[in-house]
Amino acid sequence: MEDPKLEKHFKSHRSTVTSLSFSPNTKQLVSGSLDACLFLWPFKPQVRAYRFVGHNDAVHSVCFSPSGHLIASGSKDKKVRLWIPSVKGESTVFKAHTAAVRCVDFASDGQSLLSSSEDKTIKIWTVHRQKFQFSLNQHSNWVRCAKFSPDGRLIVSCSDDKTVKIWDRNTNECMHTFYEPHGFLNDVAFHPSGTCIGGGCTDASVKIWDIRTRKLIQHYANHVASVNSVAFHPNGNYLLSASSDATLKIFDLLEGRLIYTLHGHQGPATSVAFSKQGDFFASGGQDQQVLVWKTNFESAPSFAESTNTTSNKYTNGNDTSSNDYIPSTRVSSSTNQQKKAQISSLGEKSQPETSDERGARKIDVFNGKSAYPTYGDGDRLEITNIGPAYENGISRSNSASACLVNSEPMTNAISKNNNRTTYGTQSNVNQAYAPQLTNTLEHIVQQLDILTKTVAILETRLTMTEIIQLILGQSYMAATDNPEWFSTKQVDNNLFLTNENHFFEGNRANIWLIRGVARDLIIDCGLGVCNLKKHFENLNILDKDRECLVLCTHSHFDHCGGAKHFENDSQILIHRDDYQGLRDGRQKDTLNYVRSAHFDQAPYRNFSAREYRVPATKCESILDGHRIDLGADDEIIVSHVPGHTAGSVVCYYPKTKSLFTGDFVYDCVHGDELIDWVPTSSVRDYLRSANRMIDWLEEHDIEKIYPGHSRIFTDKKRVQDILREYIDSKDDCCSKAKGSCMQTMVSGFFKMGCFRCCQC
């Protein structure tokens, strides 16, 4: 197995790439974007790309027909277009829905086309005359995605109503509904076998359901931000995902483990697609790039090349009620008839997970006990072997993952021959080796148990040491600075941007330093695990003899954790409604959910993420309209914009015509991604603030927007559009009806009570 390799790089879109599709002969790739255009990218060298213009608003979805003679696109302008992929770029158009079209897909025969929409419906059309056939209407919120099954008999759809539905195309009835309690799915796809579906969820997980047994059979929690797109490899052995954490991940479905993490996009990865033969895949992102990768990792025969069965579908033998999901290309005919439900070859889990089972567990196959301790805050000790980094920003995990079985001794034999794996009950041939295999596995488990206990003791000692330090009055924070922890760059004449390099990008706050005429202002100050004040002083951009103020745009840990370092020498400001949480160091108000997995390098020796706390910090409360004087009529005006937290603020700097927005608004793919679902949020307040800010932006000349996360805006209209999309997504109703009140996730993830929600 070789590593994926970046082959081509395309960049001509002017906004986020939303969707990708390969032509059946893999000679072309089409991409759609929020810039309302399609691009047709050729793979032949020195052949120019074609730009198709016709939609009046963002293009959400594109798809090649099975023959390759047509391209379908769906847009926010409520229309579907059918394009001829040629130089002329001719198209026919029809108004398909009463709201934005989120997804289009061709049936395998090329005769039918489906479209799903924010008007909560799925519609089926004939391709030849674009004639409406029927509509599917049981979703109660936006339908983000809908796809045909490989044989065209079924349709799968996912919606903001937190459901995934399977539809029978012949009867137009919903056959089954899967409920997703932790969030909604952004994308869903059929496995090439047609018996399973996979989806990417806003809770940062990838999930696979068996539509025959109607159960969740795999759950991967490897991303740290919303999963925007998923795609199955044509042979069915692998799944590719794209996430807002700026990574692509490749999962080996037979072994139930992550095998590659790919870093190529500067910002959220929004779309992925495999070529028909599976030898290439493409990814698109918010950075306006389209990347084409050579697969390389594929070494197994394609799904259509199966020679062990007369059927081209996956099978689990004669036991149709089993939870097993075993590829027929991997099961010998002799074991197929004897199969008893013991091991799921396509699943780390054979039962749906509870809200506490957020990670893929490793299970002791002899006694059913977890092979690592699980702590109350969700951290876990995991013994794994992580391979080195590879070219093109690729990292590969070599960690093995055991399948979930019952608590009885394992009676199934696993053999490998010629790169083929057979799962089944023991035959007479291998029964003689069962005692030796059992003894060997028992010995391995004992050694792992000893190692686990040893590390647990070390963890306990570390915790006790930190407790003693706290008793002696020593701060949990680093006593010395780490020169590699921060990176600072000059953005403008008197403006500097600092980031914490080794904390995961999804929560890595932007730290802004403004050098005023008479005094300086720091807007937000990071986690506090390393000394930001010393960092600035070492760079000579902060003078010890010069007055410096610190403003926290809100009370969350990634924006105010470092304020403690400044409290002896500087005035620390925070809005009155968030003041109490920072002053008292209340972890609930600071939304402290730091995990060890969020760090790719420890900030200092013996650092423990489980012991991280936002310290009680001496600060002063401010109100809406507060003015921060930087000297000589140089001032910052603070505006109160509650919603993300009760005390969220934005800062207007008239001198440079710029706005610092904190977490109130930032460059996201869709406005409904603004975070109003955490315990400190209020949807009602967010809607009011969004409406006010849209009007405020109209009245003020703003040239730069500096958010608390992600990249800098240069177009205030984009900010207004994001806020309008947010308002439209809520439809002026209670967040409970829109799926924002996720009490189950709060209880399991934040270890707190219910959300404050919109209180209506």
Side-chain angles (χ1 to χ4, degrees), residues 365-526:
V365 296
F366 291 100
N367 55 27
K369 295 180 181 178
S370 176
Y372 54 82
T374 301
Y375 302 99
D377 65 351
D379 280 351
R380 64 177 187 250
L381 174 65
E382 189 167 326
I383 303 169
T384 182
N385 173 29
I386 304 298
Y390 286 79
E391 294 180 1
N392 300 321
I394 303 169
S395 61
R396 180 176 176 182
S397 170
N398 295 324
S399 58
S401 177
C403 296
L404 178 68
V405 299
N406 60 17
S407 59
E408 297 297 323
M410 186 174 73
T411 60
N412 292 53
I414 303 175
S415 62
K416 293 187 177 180
N417 295 301
N418 300 326
N419 295 323
R420 297 168 60 79
T421 305
T422 302
Y423 294 78
T425 55
Q426 291 179 339
S427 66
N428 294 333
V429 176
N430 55 37
Q431 282 178 351
Y433 299 98
Q436 292 91 329
L437 177 61
T438 301
N439 291 336
T440 302
L441 291 175
E442 284 178 344
H443 178 71
I444 293 172
V445 170
Q446 289 171 1
Q447 294 299 314
L448 287 174
D449 187 53
I450 292 170
L451 182 57
T452 299
K453 291 177 180 177
T454 301
V455 178
I457 291 171
L458 293 174
E459 287 268 308
T460 304
R461 289 178 179 174
L462 174 61
T463 303
M464 291 302 296
T465 301
E466 291 173 349
I467 291 172
I468 292 171
Q469 289 177 348
L470 291 172
I471 293 172
L472 294 175
Q474 299 176 13
S475 172
Y476 78 95
M477 292 187 287
T480 59
D481 53 343
N482 179 349
E484 296 181 0
W485 184 256
F486 296 105
S487 63
T488 297
K489 65 180 180 180
Q490 188 167 359
V491 177
D492 208 342
N493 291 335
N494 297 307
L495 179 64
F496 297 83
L497 169 61
T498 300
N499 290 115
E500 298 179 275
N501 295 325
H502 301 290
F503 190 63
F504 89 94
E505 190 171 3
N507 259 64
R508 185 187 303 164
N510 292 330
I511 301 167
W512 305 100
L513 170 61
I514 302 172
R515 298 276 291 173
V517 175
R519 58 189 60 86
D520 302 328
L521 174 66
I522 297 171
I523 300 177
D524 292 330
C525 43

Side-chain angles (χ1 to χ4, degrees), residues 38-168:
L38 283 73
F39 266 94
L40 189 63
W41 309 100
F43 284 175
K44 287 185 177 180
Q46 297 170 356
V47 177
R48 67 184 184 89
Y50 301 139
R51 181 169 177 256
F52 295 164
V53 179
H55 285 293
N56 300 320
D57 211 328
V59 176
H60 287 308
S61 180
V62 293
C63 183
F64 260 104
S65 67
S67 66
H69 295 149
L70 290 174
I71 296 172
S73 61
S75 169
K76 191 176 179 180
D77 64 8
K78 309 174 187 178
K79 298 175 182 177
V80 170
R81 282 185 176 268
L82 293 176
W83 308 80
I84 298 174
S86 63
V87 177
K88 294 181 179 180
E90 298 172 339
S91 68
T92 60
V93 61
F94 59 96
K95 185 176 180 180
H97 292 271
T98 58
V101 180
R102 300 300 299 227
C103 184
V104 291
D105 188 46
F106 284 98
S108 55
D109 60 7
Q111 301 302 310
S112 299
L113 175 75
L114 68 73
S115 58
S116 62
S117 169
E118 292 177 9
D119 65 9
K120 309 174 188 178
T121 68
I122 305 160
K123 295 185 178 181
I124 314 300
W125 313 81
T126 61
V127 173
H128 181 56
R129 297 183 179 274
Q130 296 94 56
K131 182 181 179 182
F132 171 75
Q133 290 186 307
F134 59 87
S135 181
L136 306 174
N137 303 303
Q138 292 186 26
H139 281 296
S140 59
N141 209 325
W142 291 7
V143 184
R144 287 194 175 260
C145 181
K147 301 282 180 65
F148 282 109
S149 63
D151 60 10
R153 294 187 300 107
L154 303 177
I155 294 170
V156 62
S157 61
C158 62
S159 166
D160 283 17
D161 62 14
K162 295 186 178 181
T163 66
V164 178
K165 292 183 182 291
I166 307 296
W167 309 83
D168 188 326

Side-chain angles (χ1 to χ4, degrees), residues 238-264:
Y238 305 96
L239 182 139
L240 173 64
S241 62
S243 168
S244 292
D245 63 13
T247 67
L248 312 176
K249 292 186 184 290
I250 299 169
F251 302 93
D252 187 324
L253 302 182
L254 296 183
E255 296 186 15
R257 66 187 179 103
L258 172 68
I259 56 174
Y260 288 105
T261 296
L262 285 71
H263 302 268

